[in-house]
Amino acid sequence: MVERTLAIIKPDAVKKRVIGNVIQRYEAAGLYPVAMKMMSLSQPIAEGFYAVHRERSFFHDLTAFMSSGPSVVLVLEGENAIQANRDLMGATDPQKAESGTIRAAHGASIEANAVHGSDSPETAGFEIGYFFPGMDLQAGC
């Protein structure tokens, strides 16, 4: 099933200048950008995006990190895009990520792990709407 998911190339990966490599990996996996923008997340924008984690101990560090520099926010489209992107990203901890995944190649720590991806259709709907309001979640624009 063709679907859409949100992906973020995080500030650490942008700083390392690996945006093109990450996008190339998406495309090689059959995930094609249908919307994309580079932006610097303010602290309030990061806090709103990660609000589901507000009570977690890592919330402040995560939102501070995501506000530390520009990110590239993308909507990816492809067959089973959500799971395909999760597989391509690899484990949250880059040290535990399988070889060949984005996080194994470009992540440095659990926090600075290069990329973010939606984890379910419901999350994808919220996340796409958060950064691309009014965009239809259905594939095939």
Side-chain angles (χ1 to χ4, degrees):
M1 173 173 99
V2 175
E3 61 187 4
R4 290 183 174 169
T5 189
L6 187 93
I8 300 175
I9 303 172
K10 294 181 177 184
D12 58 313
V14 171
K15 186 175 182 179
K16 290 180 185 176
R17 299 178 187 243
V18 296
I19 297 168
N21 179 269
V22 173
I23 293 172
Q24 184 178 33
R25 287 168 180 264
Y26 292 147
E27 291 181 327
L31 301 170
Y32 304 104
V34 295
M36 178 170 38
K37 60 185 171 182
M38 179 179 269
M39 61 186 296
S40 293
L41 278 62
S42 66
Q43 187 74 26
I45 294 290
E47 289 175 357
F49 182 71
Y50 287 107
V52 67
H53 299 301
R54 186 170 300 282
E55 302 305 319
R56 309 283 295 270
S57 61
F58 60 81
F59 178 75
H60 177 72
D61 289 342
L62 173 63
T63 57
F65 167 68
M66 290 301 293
S67 302
S68 68
S71 295
V72 177
V73 183
L74 309 93
V75 177
L76 301 174
E77 181 176 284
E79 278 293 320
N80 301 308
I82 295 167
Q83 189 59 53
N85 187 39
R86 306 243 0 124
D87 294 344
L88 183 60
M89 288 190 308
T92 303
D93 181 348
Q95 305 307 313
K96 297 178 181 174
E98 288 186 37
S99 178
T101 63
I102 294 170
R103 288 176 171 157
H106 301 301
S109 67
I110 290 175
E111 183 179 274
N113 62 10
V115 290
H116 165 88
S118 304
D119 62 5
S120 70
E122 297 76 23
T123 303
F126 166 76
E127 292 180 347
I128 290 170
Y130 194 82
F131 288 111
F132 298 93
M135 184 174 191
D136 185 358
L137 181 61
Q138 300 302 311
C141 59

